[in-house]
Amino acid sequence: QVQLVESGGGLVQAGGSLRLSCAASGRTFENYVMGWFRQAPGKEREFVAAISVIDGGTIYTDSVKGRFTISRDDVKNTVYLQMNSLKPDDTAVYYCAADNQVRRLWLGSEYAYWGQGTQVTVSA
């Protein structure tokens, strides 16, 4: 079992920055692929970013490339999402996800464990 707790959301003006954190329980955090997803009101959940286990490779959805950075600290059992140059379209509830059997990192259905979400609101 893995429990995930997100933090760091809030209200920010367009062009600003936020850093989301996701703290994970469990002793084998380093074996888990970690992902960030988001869901805006009235929209489906969408993939944002993910970081793999073996080489720490990262992937991003096109709309956040160059603005968001995902990273992990396996000592602190924490994954981060640094969000810069935020836009109103980034407004959503952001969820952290984890699994140790993920092959398609962008698919939410491949992640077994999810946090409760943290709200990010970007004002124009």
Side-chain angles (χ1 to χ4, degrees), residues 97-119:
D99 202 290
N100 61 357
Q101 299 288 340
V102 178
R103 289 190 293 179
R104 293 168 292 183
L105 276 65
W106 61 93
L107 283 184
S109 58
E110 298 218 356
Y111 293 81
Y113 303 104
W114 293 82
Q116 81 289 349
T118 185
Q119 176 71 48

PDB file of all heavy atoms in Angstrom, residues 97-119:
ATOM      1  N   ALA A  97       0.022  10.506  -8.512  1.00  0.00           N
ATOM      2  CA  ALA A  97      -0.294   9.095  -8.696  1.00  0.00           C
ATOM      3  C   ALA A  97       0.984   8.269  -8.664  1.00  0.00           C
ATOM      4  O   ALA A  97       2.061   8.766  -9.018  1.00  0.00           O
ATOM      5  CB  ALA A  97      -1.024   8.878 -10.017  1.00  0.00           C
ATOM      6  N   ALA A  98       0.844   7.006  -8.261  1.00  0.00           N
ATOM      7  CA  ALA A  98       2.009   6.126  -8.141  1.00  0.00           C
ATOM      8  C   ALA A  98       1.642   4.693  -8.492  1.00  0.00           C
ATOM      9  O   ALA A  98       0.519   4.252  -8.269  1.00  0.00           O
ATOM     10  CB  ALA A  98       2.565   6.184  -6.718  1.00  0.00           C
ATOM     11  N   ASP A  99       2.619   3.994  -9.032  1.00  0.00           N
ATOM     12  CA  ASP A  99       2.469   2.564  -9.270  1.00  0.00           C
ATOM     13  C   ASP A  99       3.841   1.994  -9.593  1.00  0.00           C
ATOM     14  O   ASP A  99       4.713   2.702 -10.097  1.00  0.00           O
ATOM     15  CB  ASP A  99       1.497   2.279 -10.430  1.00  0.00           C
ATOM     16  CG  ASP A  99       0.928   0.882 -10.342  1.00  0.00           C
ATOM     17  OD1 ASP A  99       1.684  -0.083 -10.567  1.00  0.00           O
ATOM     18  OD2 ASP A  99      -0.272   0.739 -10.034  1.00  0.00           O
ATOM     19  N   ASN A 100       4.010   0.696  -9.333  1.00  0.00           N
ATOM     20  CA  ASN A 100       5.298   0.071  -9.637  1.00  0.00           C
ATOM     21  C   ASN A 100       5.234  -0.843 -10.851  1.00  0.00           C
ATOM     22  O   ASN A 100       6.162  -1.616 -11.105  1.00  0.00           O
ATOM     23  CB  ASN A 100       5.817  -0.694  -8.417  1.00  0.00           C
ATOM     24  CG  ASN A 100       4.882  -1.812  -7.982  1.00  0.00           C
ATOM     25  OD1 ASN A 100       3.815  -2.001  -8.546  1.00  0.00           O
ATOM     26  ND2 ASN A 100       5.269  -2.538  -6.960  1.00  0.00           N
ATOM     27  N   GLN A 101       4.123  -0.766 -11.602  1.00  0.00           N
ATOM     28  CA  GLN A 101       3.969  -1.612 -12.784  1.00  0.00           C
ATOM     29  C   GLN A 101       3.560  -0.808 -14.007  1.00  0.00           C
ATOM     30  O   GLN A 101       2.908  -1.322 -14.905  1.00  0.00           O
ATOM     31  CB  GLN A 101       2.910  -2.691 -12.525  1.00  0.00           C
ATOM     32  CG  GLN A 101       3.227  -3.635 -11.392  1.00  0.00           C
ATOM     33  CD  GLN A 101       4.344  -4.597 -11.732  1.00  0.00           C
ATOM     34  OE1 GLN A 101       4.640  -4.823 -12.910  1.00  0.00           O
ATOM     35  NE2 GLN A 101       4.974  -5.166 -10.733  1.00  0.00           N
ATOM     36  N   VAL A 102       3.916   0.455 -14.050  1.00  0.00           N
ATOM     37  CA  VAL A 102       3.477   1.325 -15.138  1.00  0.00           C
ATOM     38  C   VAL A 102       4.366   1.149 -16.351  1.00  0.00           C
ATOM     39  O   VAL A 102       5.593   1.189 -16.250  1.00  0.00           O
ATOM     40  CB  VAL A 102       3.498   2.805 -14.693  1.00  0.00           C
ATOM     41  CG1 VAL A 102       3.077   3.703 -15.855  1.00  0.00           C
ATOM     42  CG2 VAL A 102       2.589   3.009 -13.499  1.00  0.00           C
ATOM     43  N   ARG A 103       3.733   0.985 -17.516  1.00  0.00           N
ATOM     44  CA  ARG A 103       4.479   0.981 -18.777  1.00  0.00           C
ATOM     45  C   ARG A 103       4.152   2.215 -19.605  1.00  0.00           C
ATOM     46  O   ARG A 103       5.034   2.797 -20.243  1.00  0.00           O
ATOM     47  CB  ARG A 103       4.163  -0.281 -19.567  1.00  0.00           C
ATOM     48  CG  ARG A 103       4.769  -1.542 -18.943  1.00  0.00           C
ATOM     49  CD  ARG A 103       4.659  -2.723 -19.862  1.00  0.00           C
ATOM     50  NE  ARG A 103       3.267  -3.137 -20.056  1.00  0.00           N
ATOM     51  CZ  ARG A 103       2.913  -4.147 -20.842  1.00  0.00           C
ATOM     52  NH1 ARG A 103       3.816  -4.817 -21.521  1.00  0.00           N
ATOM     53  NH2 ARG A 103       1.645  -4.467 -20.976  1.00  0.00           N
ATOM     54  N   ARG A 104       2.887   2.593 -19.605  1.00  0.00           N
ATOM     55  CA  ARG A 104       2.471   3.788 -20.331  1.00  0.00           C
ATOM     56  C   ARG A 104       2.245   4.896 -19.311  1.00  0.00           C
ATOM     57  O   ARG A 104       1.174   5.027 -18.745  1.00  0.00           O
ATOM     58  CB  ARG A 104       1.211   3.487 -21.151  1.00  0.00           C
ATOM     59  CG  ARG A 104       1.456   2.501 -22.271  1.00  0.00           C
ATOM     60  CD  ARG A 104       0.184   1.994 -22.882  1.00  0.00           C
ATOM     61  NE  ARG A 104      -0.559   1.148 -21.948  1.00  0.00           N
ATOM     62  CZ  ARG A 104      -1.679   0.521 -22.243  1.00  0.00           C
ATOM     63  NH1 ARG A 104      -2.211   0.645 -23.454  1.00  0.00           N
ATOM     64  NH2 ARG A 104      -2.294  -0.219 -21.333  1.00  0.00           N
ATOM     65  N   LEU A 105       3.274   5.680 -19.100  1.00  0.00           N
ATOM     66  CA  LEU A 105       3.290   6.631 -17.992  1.00  0.00           C
ATOM     67  C   LEU A 105       2.197   7.678 -18.090  1.00  0.00           C
ATOM     68  O   LEU A 105       1.848   8.285 -17.092  1.00  0.00           O
ATOM     69  CB  LEU A 105       4.653   7.335 -17.914  1.00  0.00           C
ATOM     70  CG  LEU A 105       5.766   6.588 -17.149  1.00  0.00           C
ATOM     71  CD1 LEU A 105       6.140   5.295 -17.861  1.00  0.00           C
ATOM     72  CD2 LEU A 105       6.987   7.470 -16.990  1.00  0.00           C
ATOM     73  N   TRP A 106       1.669   7.918 -19.279  1.00  0.00           N
ATOM     74  CA  TRP A 106       0.680   8.965 -19.484  1.00  0.00           C
ATOM     75  C   TRP A 106      -0.760   8.501 -19.244  1.00  0.00           C
ATOM     76  O   TRP A 106      -1.689   9.287 -19.331  1.00  0.00           O
ATOM     77  CB  TRP A 106       0.795   9.509 -20.911  1.00  0.00           C
ATOM     78  CG  TRP A 106       0.555   8.462 -21.950  1.00  0.00           C
ATOM     79  CD1 TRP A 106      -0.634   8.148 -22.563  1.00  0.00           C
ATOM     80  CD2 TRP A 106       1.533   7.560 -22.486  1.00  0.00           C
ATOM     81  NE1 TRP A 106      -0.447   7.109 -23.439  1.00  0.00           N
ATOM     82  CE2 TRP A 106       0.867   6.731 -23.431  1.00  0.00           C
ATOM     83  CE3 TRP A 106       2.899   7.381 -22.280  1.00  0.00           C
ATOM     84  CZ2 TRP A 106       1.532   5.741 -24.135  1.00  0.00           C
ATOM     85  CZ3 TRP A 106       3.550   6.395 -22.995  1.00  0.00           C
ATOM     86  CH2 TRP A 106       2.871   5.592 -23.912  1.00  0.00           C
ATOM     87  N   LEU A 107      -0.940   7.210 -18.966  1.00  0.00           N
ATOM     88  CA  LEU A 107      -2.278   6.673 -18.776  1.00  0.00           C
ATOM     89  C   LEU A 107      -2.640   6.578 -17.302  1.00  0.00           C
ATOM     90  O   LEU A 107      -2.033   5.813 -16.549  1.00  0.00           O
ATOM     91  CB  LEU A 107      -2.402   5.284 -19.401  1.00  0.00           C
ATOM     92  CG  LEU A 107      -2.550   5.220 -20.916  1.00  0.00           C
ATOM     93  CD1 LEU A 107      -2.751   3.776 -21.357  1.00  0.00           C
ATOM     94  CD2 LEU A 107      -3.731   6.063 -21.379  1.00  0.00           C
ATOM     95  N   GLY A 108      -3.644   7.313 -16.891  1.00  0.00           N
ATOM     96  CA  GLY A 108      -4.054   7.285 -15.498  1.00  0.00           C
ATOM     97  C   GLY A 108      -4.520   5.919 -15.034  1.00  0.00           C
ATOM     98  O   GLY A 108      -4.350   5.570 -13.866  1.00  0.00           O
ATOM     99  N   SER A 109      -5.085   5.141 -15.927  1.00  0.00           N
ATOM    100  CA  SER A 109      -5.595   3.821 -15.564  1.00  0.00           C
ATOM    101  C   SER A 109      -4.489   2.865 -15.137  1.00  0.00           C
ATOM    102  O   SER A 109      -4.769   1.820 -14.556  1.00  0.00           O
ATOM    103  CB  SER A 109      -6.376   3.216 -16.730  1.00  0.00           C
ATOM    104  OG  SER A 109      -5.564   3.123 -17.881  1.00  0.00           O
ATOM    105  N   GLU A 110      -3.231   3.198 -15.409  1.00  0.00           N
ATOM    106  CA  GLU A 110      -2.137   2.307 -15.035  1.00  0.00           C
ATOM    107  C   GLU A 110      -1.605   2.590 -13.633  1.00  0.00           C
ATOM    108  O   GLU A 110      -0.724   1.885 -13.156  1.00  0.00           O
ATOM    109  CB  GLU A 110      -1.004   2.415 -16.052  1.00  0.00           C
ATOM    110  CG  GLU A 110      -1.409   1.986 -17.454  1.00  0.00           C
ATOM    111  CD  GLU A 110      -0.323   1.234 -18.183  1.00  0.00           C
ATOM    112  OE1 GLU A 110       0.787   1.100 -17.652  1.00  0.00           O
ATOM    113  OE2 GLU A 110      -0.600   0.780 -19.307  1.00  0.00           O
ATOM    114  N   TYR A 111      -2.140   3.611 -12.986  1.00  0.00           N
ATOM    115  CA  TYR A 111      -1.690   3.957 -11.643  1.00  0.00           C
ATOM    116  C   TYR A 111      -2.711   3.463 -10.619  1.00  0.00           C
ATOM    117  O   TYR A 111      -3.895   3.783 -10.712  1.00  0.00           O
ATOM    118  CB  TYR A 111      -1.519   5.459 -11.500  1.00  0.00           C
ATOM    119  CG  TYR A 111      -0.405   6.047 -12.338  1.00  0.00           C
ATOM    120  CD1 TYR A 111      -0.594   6.324 -13.687  1.00  0.00           C
ATOM    121  CD2 TYR A 111       0.836   6.328 -11.771  1.00  0.00           C
ATOM    122  CE1 TYR A 111       0.426   6.871 -14.457  1.00  0.00           C
ATOM    123  CE2 TYR A 111       1.857   6.884 -12.524  1.00  0.00           C
ATOM    124  CZ  TYR A 111       1.641   7.147 -13.867  1.00  0.00           C
ATOM    125  OH  TYR A 111       2.660   7.693 -14.619  1.00  0.00           O
ATOM    126  N   ALA A 112      -2.227   2.741  -9.628  1.00  0.00           N
ATOM    127  CA  ALA A 112      -3.128   2.183  -8.616  1.00  0.00           C
ATOM    128  C   ALA A 112      -3.361   3.132  -7.450  1.00  0.00           C
ATOM    129  O   ALA A 112      -4.401   3.064  -6.794  1.00  0.00           O
ATOM    130  CB  ALA A 112      -2.563   0.870  -8.077  1.00  0.00           C
ATOM    131  N   TYR A 113      -2.410   3.997  -7.193  1.00  0.00           N
ATOM    132  CA  TYR A 113      -2.483   4.827  -5.990  1.00  0.00           C
ATOM    133  C   TYR A 113      -2.589   6.306  -6.369  1.00  0.00           C
ATOM    134  O   TYR A 113      -1.843   6.787  -7.237  1.00  0.00           O
ATOM    135  CB  TYR A 113      -1.243   4.601  -5.116  1.00  0.00           C
ATOM    136  CG  TYR A 113      -1.065   3.155  -4.736  1.00  0.00           C
ATOM    137  CD1 TYR A 113      -0.103   2.364  -5.361  1.00  0.00           C
ATOM    138  CD2 TYR A 113      -1.883   2.578  -3.771  1.00  0.00           C
ATOM    139  CE1 TYR A 113       0.049   1.039  -5.024  1.00  0.00           C
ATOM    140  CE2 TYR A 113      -1.733   1.240  -3.433  1.00  0.00           C
ATOM    141  CZ  TYR A 113      -0.766   0.482  -4.064  1.00  0.00           C
ATOM    142  OH  TYR A 113      -0.634  -0.842  -3.730  1.00  0.00           O
ATOM    143  N   TRP A 114      -3.494   6.994  -5.671  1.00  0.00           N
ATOM    144  CA  TRP A 114      -3.773   8.398  -5.954  1.00  0.00           C
ATOM    145  C   TRP A 114      -3.876   9.194  -4.671  1.00  0.00           C
ATOM    146  O   TRP A 114      -4.346   8.682  -3.649  1.00  0.00           O
ATOM    147  CB  TRP A 114      -5.096   8.530  -6.723  1.00  0.00           C
ATOM    148  CG  TRP A 114      -5.024   7.959  -8.103  1.00  0.00           C
ATOM    149  CD1 TRP A 114      -5.156   6.654  -8.458  1.00  0.00           C
ATOM    150  CD2 TRP A 114      -4.782   8.684  -9.307  1.00  0.00           C
ATOM    151  NE1 TRP A 114      -5.006   6.510  -9.820  1.00  0.00           N
ATOM    152  CE2 TRP A 114      -4.785   7.751 -10.364  1.00  0.00           C
ATOM    153  CE3 TRP A 114      -4.571  10.034  -9.606  1.00  0.00           C
ATOM    154  CZ2 TRP A 114      -4.569   8.116 -11.689  1.00  0.00           C
ATOM    155  CZ3 TRP A 114      -4.369  10.399 -10.921  1.00  0.00           C
ATOM    156  CH2 TRP A 114      -4.370   9.448 -11.952  1.00  0.00           C
ATOM    157  N   GLY A 115      -3.448  10.449  -4.748  1.00  0.00           N
ATOM    158  CA  GLY A 115      -3.646  11.356  -3.635  1.00  0.00           C
ATOM    159  C   GLY A 115      -5.020  11.989  -3.703  1.00  0.00           C
ATOM    160  O   GLY A 115      -5.800  11.723  -4.616  1.00  0.00           O
ATOM    161  N   GLN A 116      -5.288  12.873  -2.755  1.00  0.00           N
ATOM    162  CA  GLN A 116      -6.605  13.491  -2.662  1.00  0.00           C
ATOM    163  C   GLN A 116      -6.724  14.740  -3.531  1.00  0.00           C
ATOM    164  O   GLN A 116      -7.826  15.246  -3.744  1.00  0.00           O
ATOM    165  CB  GLN A 116      -6.918  13.862  -1.200  1.00  0.00           C
ATOM    166  CG  GLN A 116      -6.307  15.166  -0.715  1.00  0.00           C
ATOM    167  CD  GLN A 116      -4.808  15.107  -0.530  1.00  0.00           C
ATOM    168  OE1 GLN A 116      -4.197  14.051  -0.558  1.00  0.00           O
ATOM    169  NE2 GLN A 116      -4.208  16.275  -0.322  1.00  0.00           N
ATOM    170  N   GLY A 117      -5.624  15.229  -4.015  1.00  0.00           N
ATOM    171  CA  GLY A 117      -5.624  16.377  -4.907  1.00  0.00           C
ATOM    172  C   GLY A 117      -5.369  17.694  -4.185  1.00  0.00           C
ATOM    173  O   GLY A 117      -5.646  17.834  -2.993  1.00  0.00           O
ATOM    174  N   THR A 118      -4.823  18.641  -4.920  1.00  0.00           N
ATOM    175  CA  THR A 118      -4.600  19.987  -4.395  1.00  0.00           C
ATOM    176  C   THR A 118      -5.017  20.988  -5.469  1.00  0.00           C
ATOM    177  O   THR A 118      -4.709  20.818  -6.649  1.00  0.00           O
ATOM    178  CB  THR A 118      -3.137  20.193  -3.965  1.00  0.00           C
ATOM    179  OG1 THR A 118      -2.979  21.468  -3.352  1.00  0.00           O
ATOM    180  CG2 THR A 118      -2.172  20.087  -5.147  1.00  0.00           C
ATOM    181  N   GLN A 119      -5.743  22.014  -5.053  1.00  0.00           N
ATOM    182  CA  GLN A 119      -6.300  22.982  -6.004  1.00  0.00           C
ATOM    183  C   GLN A 119      -5.254  24.015  -6.411  1.00  0.00           C
ATOM    184  O   GLN A 119      -4.582  24.605  -5.566  1.00  0.00           O
ATOM    185  CB  GLN A 119      -7.498  23.703  -5.375  1.00  0.00           C
ATOM    186  CG  GLN A 119      -8.106  24.790  -6.239  1.00  0.00           C
ATOM    187  CD  GLN A 119      -8.844  24.232  -7.444  1.00  0.00           C
ATOM    188  OE1 GLN A 119      -9.636  23.312  -7.326  1.00  0.00           O
ATOM    189  NE2 GLN A 119      -8.587  24.815  -8.626  1.00  0.00           N
TER     190      GLN A 119
END
